[in-house]
Amino acid sequence: MTVHPTNLLNLTPAEAVTTLRAFAVSVGEAPYRGSQVARRLWESPASGFDAMSELPADFRARLAEHFTMPRLALTSEQASTDGTRKFLFSLADGQSIETVAIPDGKRLTLCVSSQAGCALQCAFCATGAMGFVRNLEAHEIAGQVRELAFLAEPIKPTNIVFMGMGEPLMNWPAVDTVLTILNNPAGFGIGARHITLSTVGWLPGIEALEARKEQFRLAISIHAPSDALRATLMPVNTKFPLEAVIERAARFSRRVTFEYVMLGGVNDADEHATALAALAKTCGAFVNLIPLHPGGSMGFVPSPPERIHRFASRLKAANVEVAVRRSRGLDIAAACGQLRAERLRRRTPGLAHDDSQVNETA
Ligand code: SAH
């Protein structure tokens, strides 16, 4: 009988340590040997069992027979003059995913992907245009953080945002595990309030997030203050209409953030600001205005800066807290799905004129 090896990086830290301690005992080692291995998954990552020189060689060999701890292949990296860095990873089945690191003072935010492609087809989003390929496994999401610890100058994020490719709340079982890995002191030890999930308003996923006791942050992509307009931008609006999303957001136990991408001549008029302010007040939400990234944005044009400013002022005048995201990495293609899309088009990376909006409001 061949036993399928267990991927240790798909387990929560608690599951991994239990499994590994029991395994150590089963091969005649002391239980603490299992704990030693568990520490090398996330806290002090090892590139493989061979690299765990603190363990006896025969124990390492037995581990390798029963377990895996796969790496992601870093296939491309680009650095912006503003310090933003973008990484493209290749997965075991050849799929590519993006991760973006954004330094901002003492903070270093990592924007991770949760799916290869995306099923939701938001009209302005490059990932949507690719279509859905598959959900990422927990180790492929958490692995984006883990891999950066192996760089010659390791990157240690202080904040994580699920704003890369994919809809995290449509991949809940894996994302659930990843949240534990990110937050747990035996994982990456990143505070729950420094971890933000961004969603189109996938209601079953919001319930699942709400059921967790930690204070993970929720950001909702609103993008339009009426059903009619939102349906033209976000097909998911027919499944979960704006009204239902707002009703759920208003009941969420923690403060939510609204994301609102500024599309010139589409959703940036004064009356949109007035309507958005009313929705934000219903939910006590913080509003993040996102300048559109022109690259791959399918015919949409960014709102002019003065328009964004005026829109923000109207929200403020209505006593809504609002921030305009700064565009980062203007010289690299860092927006949702744009690096991968660009690769698929075989364009020269240097020609990209997109930017990265990814940040956090905390
Ligand atoms: N599926 C989730 C998370 C991924 S996208 C969600 O939709 O929230 C993260 C944010 O980037 C979303 O608000 C999304 O609408 C926005 N986005 C996608 N493409 C963009 C672009 N070209 N310019 C600006 N924001 C974009």
Side-chain angles (χ1 to χ4, degrees), residues 173-234:
V175 168
D176 190 24
T177 300
V178 171
L179 290 174
T180 304
I181 293 168
L182 293 173
N183 178 234
N184 198 292
F188 289 111
I190 298 170
R193 295 151 78 95
H194 294 161
I195 300 172
T196 301
L197 278 103
S198 178
T199 178
V200 294
W202 193 260
L203 297 182
I206 295 180
E207 295 309 327
L209 182 65
E210 178 86 285
R212 292 201 54 151
K213 63 182 189 315
E214 306 92 331
Q215 307 263 297
F216 298 116
R217 287 178 185 266
L218 176 66
I220 305 182
S221 295
I222 297 291
H223 302 328
S226 71
D227 262 318
L229 181 57
R230 195 168 187 264
T232 68
L233 301 174
M234 304 175 70

Short mmCIF file of all heavy atoms in Angstrom, two decimals, residues 173-234:
data_model
loop_
_atom_site.label_atom_id
_atom_site.label_comp_id
_atom_site.label_asym_id
_atom_site.label_seq_id
_atom_site.Cartn_x
_atom_site.Cartn_y
_atom_site.Cartn_z
N PRO A 173 -12.16 27.36 2.50
CA PRO A 173 -11.44 26.35 3.30
C PRO A 173 -9.93 26.61 3.33
O PRO A 173 -9.31 26.54 4.38
CB PRO A 173 -11.78 25.03 2.61
CG PRO A 173 -13.09 25.29 1.94
CD PRO A 173 -13.05 26.74 1.51
N ALA A 174 -9.36 26.95 2.18
CA ALA A 174 -7.92 27.23 2.15
C ALA A 174 -7.61 28.55 2.86
O ALA A 174 -6.67 28.64 3.66
CB ALA A 174 -7.42 27.27 0.70
N VAL A 175 -8.42 29.58 2.59
CA VAL A 175 -8.17 30.90 3.20
C VAL A 175 -8.32 30.81 4.72
O VAL A 175 -7.54 31.42 5.47
CB VAL A 175 -9.10 31.96 2.58
CG1 VAL A 175 -9.09 33.26 3.37
CG2 VAL A 175 -8.67 32.23 1.12
N ASP A 176 -9.26 30.03 5.18
CA ASP A 176 -9.47 29.82 6.62
C ASP A 176 -8.17 29.31 7.28
O ASP A 176 -7.70 29.83 8.29
CB ASP A 176 -10.61 28.80 6.77
CG ASP A 176 -11.12 28.65 8.18
OD1 ASP A 176 -10.97 29.59 8.99
OD2 ASP A 176 -11.70 27.59 8.48
N THR A 177 -7.58 28.29 6.66
CA THR A 177 -6.32 27.74 7.17
C THR A 177 -5.21 28.77 7.11
O THR A 177 -4.42 28.94 8.05
CB THR A 177 -5.93 26.48 6.35
OG1 THR A 177 -6.96 25.51 6.48
CG2 THR A 177 -4.60 25.90 6.80
N VAL A 178 -5.16 29.51 5.99
CA VAL A 178 -4.09 30.50 5.81
C VAL A 178 -4.20 31.61 6.87
O VAL A 178 -3.17 32.06 7.41
CB VAL A 178 -4.13 31.10 4.39
CG1 VAL A 178 -3.16 32.27 4.26
CG2 VAL A 178 -3.80 30.03 3.36
N LEU A 179 -5.42 32.02 7.19
CA LEU A 179 -5.59 33.07 8.22
C LEU A 179 -4.96 32.59 9.53
O LEU A 179 -4.31 33.37 10.24
CB LEU A 179 -7.07 33.40 8.41
CG LEU A 179 -7.74 34.15 7.25
CD1 LEU A 179 -9.25 34.29 7.50
CD2 LEU A 179 -7.11 35.52 7.04
N THR A 180 -5.16 31.32 9.84
CA THR A 180 -4.57 30.77 11.07
C THR A 180 -3.05 30.76 10.98
O THR A 180 -2.36 31.15 11.93
CB THR A 180 -5.11 29.34 11.31
OG1 THR A 180 -6.53 29.40 11.35
CG2 THR A 180 -4.58 28.75 12.60
N ILE A 181 -2.53 30.35 9.84
CA ILE A 181 -1.07 30.30 9.67
C ILE A 181 -0.48 31.72 9.80
O ILE A 181 0.54 31.94 10.44
CB ILE A 181 -0.69 29.67 8.31
CG1 ILE A 181 -1.07 28.19 8.28
CG2 ILE A 181 0.79 29.87 8.00
CD1 ILE A 181 -1.00 27.55 6.89
N LEU A 182 -1.14 32.68 9.18
CA LEU A 182 -0.62 34.06 9.21
C LEU A 182 -0.63 34.62 10.62
O LEU A 182 0.30 35.30 11.05
CB LEU A 182 -1.47 34.97 8.31
CG LEU A 182 -1.44 34.70 6.80
CD1 LEU A 182 -2.48 35.58 6.09
CD2 LEU A 182 -0.04 34.97 6.22
N ASN A 183 -1.71 34.36 11.35
CA ASN A 183 -1.96 35.01 12.63
C ASN A 183 -1.31 34.29 13.82
O ASN A 183 -0.86 34.93 14.77
CB ASN A 183 -3.49 35.10 12.81
CG ASN A 183 -3.90 35.72 14.12
OD1 ASN A 183 -4.66 35.15 14.89
ND2 ASN A 183 -3.39 36.91 14.41
N ASN A 184 -1.24 32.98 13.75
CA ASN A 184 -0.78 32.21 14.90
C ASN A 184 0.69 32.51 15.24
O ASN A 184 1.51 32.63 14.34
CB ASN A 184 -0.93 30.72 14.55
CG ASN A 184 -0.91 29.84 15.75
OD1 ASN A 184 0.12 29.70 16.42
ND2 ASN A 184 -2.04 29.24 16.06
N PRO A 185 1.01 32.64 16.54
CA PRO A 185 2.42 32.84 16.92
C PRO A 185 3.31 31.69 16.43
O PRO A 185 4.50 31.90 16.18
CB PRO A 185 2.38 32.88 18.45
CG PRO A 185 0.96 33.18 18.81
CD PRO A 185 0.10 32.64 17.71
N ALA A 186 2.75 30.51 16.27
CA ALA A 186 3.52 29.39 15.73
C ALA A 186 3.51 29.38 14.19
O ALA A 186 4.04 28.48 13.56
CB ALA A 186 2.98 28.07 16.26
N GLY A 187 2.87 30.42 13.61
CA GLY A 187 2.91 30.62 12.16
C GLY A 187 3.73 31.88 11.92
O GLY A 187 4.86 31.98 12.38
N PHE A 188 3.13 32.87 11.24
CA PHE A 188 3.88 34.12 10.99
C PHE A 188 3.67 35.16 12.09
O PHE A 188 4.35 36.18 12.11
CB PHE A 188 3.49 34.71 9.63
CG PHE A 188 4.02 33.91 8.47
CD1 PHE A 188 3.15 33.20 7.65
CD2 PHE A 188 5.38 33.86 8.20
CE1 PHE A 188 3.63 32.44 6.59
CE2 PHE A 188 5.88 33.11 7.15
CZ PHE A 188 5.00 32.40 6.33
N GLY A 189 2.69 34.95 12.96
CA GLY A 189 2.49 35.85 14.08
C GLY A 189 2.09 37.28 13.70
O GLY A 189 2.45 38.23 14.39
N ILE A 190 1.35 37.43 12.61
CA ILE A 190 0.90 38.76 12.18
C ILE A 190 -0.48 39.03 12.82
O ILE A 190 -1.39 38.20 12.71
CB ILE A 190 0.80 38.83 10.65
CG1 ILE A 190 2.19 38.59 10.02
CG2 ILE A 190 0.22 40.18 10.19
CD1 ILE A 190 2.17 38.41 8.51
N GLY A 191 -0.63 40.16 13.48
CA GLY A 191 -1.87 40.48 14.19
C GLY A 191 -3.07 40.46 13.26
O GLY A 191 -3.00 40.91 12.11
N ALA A 192 -4.20 39.96 13.76
CA ALA A 192 -5.40 39.84 12.91
C ALA A 192 -5.82 41.19 12.34
O ALA A 192 -6.29 41.27 11.20
CB ALA A 192 -6.55 39.23 13.73
N ARG A 193 -5.63 42.26 13.09
CA ARG A 193 -6.03 43.57 12.60
C ARG A 193 -5.10 44.08 11.50
O ARG A 193 -5.37 45.12 10.89
CB ARG A 193 -6.08 44.57 13.75
CG ARG A 193 -7.18 44.18 14.75
CD ARG A 193 -6.83 44.63 16.14
NE ARG A 193 -7.07 46.05 16.29
CZ ARG A 193 -8.18 46.57 16.79
NH1 ARG A 193 -9.15 45.78 17.20
NH2 ARG A 193 -8.32 47.86 16.88
N HIS A 194 -4.04 43.36 11.25
CA HIS A 194 -3.12 43.71 10.16
C HIS A 194 -3.32 42.79 8.95
O HIS A 194 -2.49 42.76 8.04
CB HIS A 194 -1.68 43.64 10.63
CG HIS A 194 -1.37 44.67 11.67
ND1 HIS A 194 -0.29 44.59 12.52
CD2 HIS A 194 -2.01 45.81 11.99
CE1 HIS A 194 -0.30 45.63 13.33
NE2 HIS A 194 -1.32 46.39 13.02
N ILE A 195 -4.42 42.04 8.98
CA ILE A 195 -4.72 41.11 7.87
C ILE A 195 -6.09 41.49 7.32
O ILE A 195 -7.08 41.47 8.06
CB ILE A 195 -4.71 39.65 8.38
CG1 ILE A 195 -3.33 39.29 8.97
CG2 ILE A 195 -5.10 38.69 7.24
CD1 ILE A 195 -3.28 37.94 9.66
N THR A 196 -6.15 41.86 6.04
CA THR A 196 -7.41 42.33 5.44
C THR A 196 -7.85 41.41 4.31
O THR A 196 -7.08 41.12 3.40
CB THR A 196 -7.22 43.75 4.87
OG1 THR A 196 -6.82 44.62 5.93
CG2 THR A 196 -8.51 44.27 4.25
N LEU A 197 -9.11 40.98 4.39
CA LEU A 197 -9.71 40.23 3.28
C LEU A 197 -10.52 41.19 2.45
O LEU A 197 -11.36 41.92 2.97
CB LEU A 197 -10.61 39.13 3.80
CG LEU A 197 -9.82 37.89 4.18
CD1 LEU A 197 -9.68 37.81 5.66
CD2 LEU A 197 -10.44 36.66 3.60
N SER A 198 -10.32 41.15 1.15
CA SER A 198 -11.09 41.99 0.25
C SER A 198 -12.03 41.10 -0.55
O SER A 198 -11.62 40.07 -1.08
CB SER A 198 -10.13 42.73 -0.69
OG SER A 198 -10.85 43.52 -1.60
N THR A 199 -13.30 41.50 -0.61
CA THR A 199 -14.30 40.65 -1.27
C THR A 199 -15.27 41.49 -2.08
O THR A 199 -15.50 42.66 -1.78
CB THR A 199 -15.09 39.82 -0.23
OG1 THR A 199 -16.08 39.03 -0.91
CG2 THR A 199 -15.80 40.70 0.79
N VAL A 200 -15.86 40.87 -3.09
CA VAL A 200 -16.93 41.52 -3.85
C VAL A 200 -18.23 41.57 -3.05
O VAL A 200 -19.21 42.14 -3.51
CB VAL A 200 -17.20 40.77 -5.17
CG1 VAL A 200 -16.01 40.86 -6.11
CG2 VAL A 200 -17.60 39.32 -4.91
N GLY A 201 -18.22 40.92 -1.87
CA GLY A 201 -19.44 40.83 -1.08
C GLY A 201 -20.04 39.44 -1.20
O GLY A 201 -21.25 39.27 -1.32
N TRP A 202 -19.17 38.44 -1.16
CA TRP A 202 -19.60 37.03 -1.26
C TRP A 202 -20.15 36.64 0.11
O TRP A 202 -19.42 36.35 1.05
CB TRP A 202 -18.41 36.16 -1.68
CG TRP A 202 -18.83 34.79 -2.10
CD1 TRP A 202 -18.78 33.65 -1.35
CD2 TRP A 202 -19.37 34.41 -3.38
NE1 TRP A 202 -19.26 32.59 -2.08
CE2 TRP A 202 -19.64 33.02 -3.32
CE3 TRP A 202 -19.66 35.12 -4.56
CZ2 TRP A 202 -20.17 32.32 -4.41
CZ3 TRP A 202 -20.19 34.41 -5.63
CH2 TRP A 202 -20.44 33.03 -5.55
N LEU A 203 -21.48 36.67 0.22
CA LEU A 203 -22.11 36.62 1.54
C LEU A 203 -21.80 35.36 2.37
O LEU A 203 -21.54 35.48 3.56
CB LEU A 203 -23.63 36.83 1.42
CG LEU A 203 -24.04 38.21 0.87
CD1 LEU A 203 -25.56 38.34 0.83
CD2 LEU A 203 -23.44 39.34 1.70
N PRO A 204 -21.78 34.16 1.77
CA PRO A 204 -21.46 33.01 2.63
C PRO A 204 -20.06 33.12 3.24
O PRO A 204 -19.84 32.69 4.37
CB PRO A 204 -21.53 31.81 1.66
CG PRO A 204 -22.26 32.30 0.45
CD PRO A 204 -22.08 33.78 0.38
N GLY A 205 -19.15 33.70 2.48
CA GLY A 205 -17.78 33.88 2.99
C GLY A 205 -17.73 34.90 4.11
O GLY A 205 -16.94 34.76 5.05
N ILE A 206 -18.57 35.93 4.02
CA ILE A 206 -18.60 36.93 5.10
C ILE A 206 -19.11 36.28 6.39
O ILE A 206 -18.58 36.53 7.48
CB ILE A 206 -19.45 38.16 4.69
CG1 ILE A 206 -18.77 38.87 3.50
CG2 ILE A 206 -19.60 39.13 5.87
CD1 ILE A 206 -19.51 40.10 2.99
N GLU A 207 -20.09 35.38 6.25
CA GLU A 207 -20.56 34.64 7.44
C GLU A 207 -19.41 33.84 8.05
O GLU A 207 -19.23 33.80 9.27
CB GLU A 207 -21.70 33.68 7.08
CG GLU A 207 -22.98 34.34 6.62
CD GLU A 207 -23.48 35.43 7.56
OE1 GLU A 207 -23.27 35.33 8.78
OE2 GLU A 207 -24.06 36.41 7.05
N ALA A 208 -18.66 33.17 7.18
CA ALA A 208 -17.56 32.32 7.68
C ALA A 208 -16.50 33.18 8.38
O ALA A 208 -15.97 32.80 9.43
CB ALA A 208 -16.95 31.54 6.52
N LEU A 209 -16.21 34.33 7.80
CA LEU A 209 -15.22 35.22 8.42
C LEU A 209 -15.73 35.73 9.76
O LEU A 209 -14.99 35.80 10.75
CB LEU A 209 -14.92 36.38 7.47
CG LEU A 209 -13.87 37.38 7.95
CD1 LEU A 209 -12.50 36.72 8.06
CD2 LEU A 209 -13.79 38.58 7.01
N GLU A 210 -17.00 36.09 9.78
CA GLU A 210 -17.61 36.60 11.01
C GLU A 210 -17.55 35.55 12.13
O GLU A 210 -17.42 35.89 13.31
CB GLU A 210 -19.08 36.96 10.72
CG GLU A 210 -19.87 37.47 11.90
CD GLU A 210 -19.72 38.96 12.10
OE1 GLU A 210 -18.65 39.37 12.57
OE2 GLU A 210 -20.66 39.70 11.77
N ALA A 211 -17.63 34.28 11.75
CA ALA A 211 -17.65 33.21 12.75
C ALA A 211 -16.29 33.03 13.43
O ALA A 211 -16.20 32.40 14.48
CB ALA A 211 -18.09 31.90 12.10
N ARG A 212 -15.24 33.59 12.83
CA ARG A 212 -13.93 33.49 13.49
C ARG A 212 -13.83 34.56 14.58
O ARG A 212 -14.31 35.66 14.41
CB ARG A 212 -12.81 33.65 12.46
CG ARG A 212 -12.78 32.46 11.51
CD ARG A 212 -11.46 32.31 10.84
NE ARG A 212 -10.35 32.24 11.78
CZ ARG A 212 -9.22 31.58 11.53
NH1 ARG A 212 -9.05 30.92 10.41
NH2 ARG A 212 -8.25 31.57 12.42
N LYS A 213 -13.16 34.20 15.65
CA LYS A 213 -13.14 35.12 16.78
C LYS A 213 -12.10 36.24 16.62
O LYS A 213 -12.21 37.29 17.25
CB LYS A 213 -12.89 34.36 18.08
CG LYS A 213 -11.55 33.65 18.12
CD LYS A 213 -11.38 32.86 19.41
CE LYS A 213 -9.97 32.31 19.59
NZ LYS A 213 -9.36 31.68 18.40
N GLU A 214 -11.11 36.03 15.75
CA GLU A 214 -10.07 37.04 15.60
C GLU A 214 -10.59 38.26 14.82
O GLU A 214 -11.54 38.16 14.05
CB GLU A 214 -8.85 36.47 14.84
CG GLU A 214 -8.28 35.18 15.43
CD GLU A 214 -8.88 33.93 14.81
OE1 GLU A 214 -10.05 33.95 14.36
OE2 GLU A 214 -8.17 32.91 14.76
N GLN A 215 -9.92 39.38 14.99
CA GLN A 215 -10.38 40.65 14.42
C GLN A 215 -9.84 40.89 13.00
O GLN A 215 -9.34 41.98 12.71
CB GLN A 215 -9.91 41.80 15.30
CG GLN A 215 -10.29 41.65 16.75
CD GLN A 215 -11.55 42.42 17.05
OE1 GLN A 215 -11.59 43.63 16.92
NE2 GLN A 215 -12.60 41.70 17.41
N PHE A 216 -9.92 39.88 12.14
CA PHE A 216 -9.48 40.09 10.76
C PHE A 216 -10.31 41.20 10.14
O PHE A 216 -11.50 41.34 10.43
CB PHE A 216 -9.63 38.80 9.94
CG PHE A 216 -8.81 37.67 10.46
CD1 PHE A 216 -9.41 36.52 10.95
CD2 PHE A 216 -7.42 37.74 10.47
CE1 PHE A 216 -8.66 35.46 11.45
CE2 PHE A 216 -6.66 36.69 10.96
CZ PHE A 216 -7.28 35.55 11.46
N ARG A 217 -9.70 41.99 9.29
CA ARG A 217 -10.42 43.12 8.69
C ARG A 217 -11.13 42.70 7.40
O ARG A 217 -10.63 41.86 6.65
CB ARG A 217 -9.45 44.25 8.37
CG ARG A 217 -9.00 44.96 9.61
CD ARG A 217 -8.00 46.04 9.25
NE ARG A 217 -7.47 46.64 10.45
CZ ARG A 217 -7.98 47.73 11.02
NH1 ARG A 217 -9.00 48.35 10.48
NH2 ARG A 217 -7.42 48.21 12.12
N LEU A 218 -12.25 43.36 7.16
CA LEU A 218 -13.06 43.08 5.97
C LEU A 218 -13.14 44.33 5.11
O LEU A 218 -13.53 45.40 5.59
CB LEU A 218 -14.46 42.63 6.39
CG LEU A 218 -15.45 42.40 5.25
CD1 LEU A 218 -15.03 41.22 4.38
CD2 LEU A 218 -16.86 42.14 5.81
N ALA A 219 -12.75 44.18 3.84
CA ALA A 219 -12.93 45.26 2.86
C ALA A 219 -13.89 44.76 1.79
O ALA A 219 -13.79 43.61 1.36
CB ALA A 219 -11.59 45.64 2.24
N ILE A 220 -14.85 45.60 1.42
CA ILE A 220 -15.84 45.17 0.42
C ILE A 220 -15.73 46.06 -0.81
O ILE A 220 -15.75 47.30 -0.71
CB ILE A 220 -17.26 45.23 0.99
CG1 ILE A 220 -17.34 44.39 2.28
CG2 ILE A 220 -18.27 44.71 -0.03
CD1 ILE A 220 -18.73 44.34 2.90
N SER A 221 -15.62 45.43 -1.98
CA SER A 221 -15.56 46.16 -3.23
C SER A 221 -16.97 46.59 -3.60
O SER A 221 -17.78 45.76 -4.01
CB SER A 221 -14.95 45.27 -4.33
OG SER A 221 -13.60 44.99 -4.00
N ILE A 222 -17.27 47.86 -3.43
CA ILE A 222 -18.62 48.39 -3.69
C ILE A 222 -18.69 48.91 -5.14
O ILE A 222 -19.50 48.46 -5.93
CB ILE A 222 -18.98 49.50 -2.69
CG1 ILE A 222 -19.00 48.94 -1.26
CG2 ILE A 222 -20.33 50.13 -3.06
CD1 ILE A 222 -20.13 47.98 -0.95
N HIS A 223 -17.82 49.87 -5.45
CA HIS A 223 -17.61 50.35 -6.82
C HIS A 223 -18.78 51.07 -7.48
O HIS A 223 -18.60 51.68 -8.55
CB HIS A 223 -17.11 49.25 -7.75
CG HIS A 223 -15.82 48.59 -7.32
ND1 HIS A 223 -14.83 49.26 -6.63
CD2 HIS A 223 -15.36 47.32 -7.48
CE1 HIS A 223 -13.83 48.43 -6.39
NE2 HIS A 223 -14.13 47.24 -6.88
N ALA A 224 -19.98 50.97 -6.94
CA ALA A 224 -21.13 51.71 -7.49
C ALA A 224 -22.17 51.80 -6.40
O ALA A 224 -22.36 50.84 -5.66
CB ALA A 224 -21.71 50.99 -8.71
N PRO A 225 -22.88 52.95 -6.29
CA PRO A 225 -23.83 53.11 -5.20
C PRO A 225 -25.26 52.70 -5.56
O PRO A 225 -26.17 52.92 -4.77
CB PRO A 225 -23.75 54.61 -4.90
CG PRO A 225 -23.39 55.23 -6.20
CD PRO A 225 -22.63 54.21 -7.01
N SER A 226 -25.47 52.12 -6.76
CA SER A 226 -26.82 51.65 -7.12
C SER A 226 -26.71 50.26 -7.75
O SER A 226 -25.69 49.92 -8.35
CB SER A 226 -27.47 52.61 -8.11
OG SER A 226 -26.84 52.49 -9.37
N ASP A 227 -27.78 49.50 -7.62
CA ASP A 227 -27.81 48.17 -8.22
C ASP A 227 -27.62 48.22 -9.73
O ASP A 227 -26.88 47.42 -10.30
CB ASP A 227 -29.16 47.50 -7.93
CG ASP A 227 -29.07 46.54 -6.76
OD1 ASP A 227 -28.07 45.81 -6.68
OD2 ASP A 227 -29.98 46.56 -5.93
N ALA A 228 -28.30 49.18 -10.37
CA ALA A 228 -28.27 49.23 -11.83
C ALA A 228 -26.84 49.43 -12.33
O ALA A 228 -26.38 48.71 -13.22
CB ALA A 228 -29.18 50.36 -12.33
N LEU A 229 -26.14 50.38 -11.72
CA LEU A 229 -24.77 50.64 -12.16
C LEU A 229 -23.83 49.52 -11.73
O LEU A 229 -22.98 49.06 -12.50
CB LEU A 229 -24.28 51.98 -11.58
CG LEU A 229 -22.86 52.40 -11.97
CD1 LEU A 229 -22.70 52.46 -13.49
CD2 LEU A 229 -22.50 53.74 -11.35
N ARG A 230 -24.02 49.03 -10.51
CA ARG A 230 -23.11 47.99 -10.01
C ARG A 230 -23.22 46.72 -10.85
O ARG A 230 -22.23 46.06 -11.13
CB ARG A 230 -23.42 47.68 -8.54
CG ARG A 230 -22.31 46.89 -7.83
CD ARG A 230 -22.53 46.88 -6.33
NE ARG A 230 -21.41 46.29 -5.60
CZ ARG A 230 -21.36 45.02 -5.19
NH1 ARG A 230 -22.37 44.20 -5.45
NH2 ARG A 230 -20.32 44.57 -4.53
N ALA A 231 -24.43 46.42 -11.31
CA ALA A 231 -24.61 45.21 -12.13
C ALA A 231 -23.84 45.31 -13.44
O ALA A 231 -23.38 44.29 -13.98
CB ALA A 231 -26.09 44.98 -12.39
N THR A 232 -23.66 46.52 -13.95
CA THR A 232 -22.91 46.64 -15.21
C THR A 232 -21.41 46.48 -14.98
O THR A 232 -20.68 46.13 -15.90
CB THR A 232 -23.14 48.02 -15.89
OG1 THR A 232 -22.55 49.04 -15.08
CG2 THR A 232 -24.61 48.30 -16.12
N LEU A 233 -20.95 46.72 -13.77
CA LEU A 233 -19.51 46.63 -13.48
C LEU A 233 -19.14 45.28 -12.87
O LEU A 233 -18.03 44.79 -13.06
CB LEU A 233 -19.09 47.74 -12.51
CG LEU A 233 -19.34 49.17 -12.97
CD1 LEU A 233 -19.00 50.15 -11.84
CD2 LEU A 233 -18.49 49.48 -14.21
N MET A 234 -20.07 44.72 -12.09
CA MET A 234 -19.78 43.51 -11.32
C MET A 234 -20.92 42.51 -11.51
O MET A 234 -21.95 42.60 -10.85
CB MET A 234 -19.63 43.86 -9.83
CG MET A 234 -18.57 44.91 -9.56
SD MET A 234 -18.50 45.40 -7.81
CE MET A 234 -17.83 43.92 -7.05
#
